[in-house]
Amino acid sequence: MAKREASVRFAAVVEYDGTGLGGWQLQPNALTVQQFVESSLEGLYGQPVRVHASGRTDAGVHARGQVIHFDARDDYDARIVLNAANARLDSRVAIVKAIKVDRDFHARYHALRKEYEYRILCSYAPSPLRSSFTWHRPKALNVEALRDAAQMLEGEHDFRSFATEPDNIKDSVRTMHYVRVLEESDEIRILFCANGFLYNLVRSLTGALVMYSTGGIERSKLLSCLSNTNSRQPAPLAPANGLTLNWVEYDKYPQLKREV
């Protein structure tokens, strides 16, 4: 039987717990979110379905509002696709919303901005129930220093100095709309919103903010990294498990932005 051509494009919002997974992108020797989603859609349609995400997330990183798109036969409405895919998905992954979109919509290239959240647990004792979603720090952090450093990151900057693969990047200029530091009980939440992110940028910036708050980086060094593209990462990456992609925003499809 001849393979039927794709006739409709869907966009979907995906939530996942990245613990123990190899990240979003397909890999030969690791379980990944993309693998789970494509496998579930193949089970629904009876043929391979390739999905495209707003961006890749690294191993151990989570998402509340990752956005994907894929082309498929126009056999089912969006609600049936959502329910049938979820019935086949691994318990760590769920499609929380699905809509039909224009055929030229692209989850990555049409994204206007994204928000990532990094959670830090500041307590003497660790929390097993939160260990998969927070970076445990046994000592308190200077919140005012974190906010001071966060303010430096806002605006348009060349973030090449904070990139883990600087030599492979053609354009490292991004607009950081805001960096908010929120203190909630024994947790610190840092929200990063930008028009785009370099690979591992949030983990790199979080590591630098934490070092700055503990006196490990001087103000002049942090400012130098934002103005001198020959500088290199001033601090180790923060662990992957504290990082979550909260939402992705689009002009034409505001319903794809997951409310947090």
Side-chain angles (χ1 to χ4, degrees):
M1 181 181 293
K3 175 181 169 183
R4 293 173 61 182
E5 294 298 320
S7 59
V8 66
R9 179 161 293 186
F10 287 93
V13 181
V14 184
E15 177 179 320
Y16 49 88
D17 175 356
T19 307
L21 299 181
W24 164 263
Q25 194 169 9
L26 289 172
Q27 297 179 42
N29 299 311
L31 294 173
T32 69
V33 182
Q34 184 179 6
Q35 174 188 338
F36 286 139
V37 174
E38 290 186 351
S39 177
S40 72
L41 293 173
E42 181 175 352
L44 171 62
Y45 286 102
Q47 63 185 47
V49 177
R50 177 51 48 92
V51 301
H52 305 269
S54 69
R56 59 178 177 169
T57 52
D58 204 3
V61 175
H62 320 289
R64 291 188 183 90
Q66 172 72 280
V67 175
I68 65 171
H69 80 262
F70 61 91
D71 296 328
R73 302 192 310 260
D74 195 11
D75 293 347
Y76 313 111
D77 65 30
R79 175 61 64 178
I80 291 176
V81 171
L82 183 150
N83 291 337
N86 281 332
R88 294 169 168 84
L89 274 170
D90 183 90
S91 62
R92 290 167 287 188
V93 184
I95 296 176
V96 298
K97 183 179 294 185
I99 61 172
K100 291 182 179 181
V101 293
D102 293 342
R103 287 300 302 269
D104 64 350
F105 172 82
H106 199 287
R108 178 181 176 188
Y109 299 127
H110 291 170
L112 296 179
R113 57 181 188 159
K114 304 176 183 180
E115 183 187 84
Y116 280 90
E117 174 180 341
Y118 199 95
R119 292 169 58 190
I120 303 171
L121 174 63
C122 298
S123 67
Y124 178 74
S127 171
L129 294 179
R130 288 181 282 176
S131 62
S132 294
F133 304 98
T134 58
W135 178 14
H136 176 231
R137 302 274 306 183
K139 294 183 179 179
L141 296 175
N142 184 330
V143 175
E144 291 308 311
L146 284 174
R147 289 175 175 152
D148 178 48
Q151 191 174 33
M152 297 183 219
L153 302 179
E154 294 180 344
E156 185 179 278
H157 300 286
D158 189 332
F159 288 100
R160 187 175 299 272
S161 297
F162 295 92
T164 54
E165 302 171 350
D167 297 332
N168 298 327
I169 302 170
K170 293 182 179 179
D171 180 14
S172 49
V173 176
R174 299 291 186 272
T175 298
M176 190 70 70
H177 297 294
Y178 59 76
V179 182
R180 296 172 182 162
V181 179
L182 308 176
E183 191 175 16
E184 299 180 358
S185 184
D186 57 358
E187 279 192 28
I188 293 172
R189 297 169 54 221
I190 308 177
L191 305 179
F192 298 85
C193 177
N195 64 345
F197 291 87
L198 307 177
Y199 182 54
N200 279 333
L201 180 59
V202 175
R203 292 173 61 194
S204 179
L205 292 175
T206 300
L209 292 182
V210 169
M211 279 198 70
Y212 179 84
S213 75
T214 60
I217 298 177
E218 295 183 354
R219 183 183 183 88
S220 59
K221 174 63 175 177
L222 197 56
L223 290 172
S224 174
C225 287
L226 291 170
S227 59
N228 180 3
T229 58
N230 291 321
S231 298
R232 287 296 177 257
Q233 285 177 267
L237 295 178
N241 59 297
L243 182 59
T244 299
L245 172 59
N246 275 344
W247 50 256
V248 187
E249 185 176 63
Y250 299 88
D251 184 23
K252 191 171 182 179
Y253 300 102
Q255 63 268 49
L256 292 173
K257 178 182 175 181
R258 182 96 188 264
E259 296 300 322
V260 178

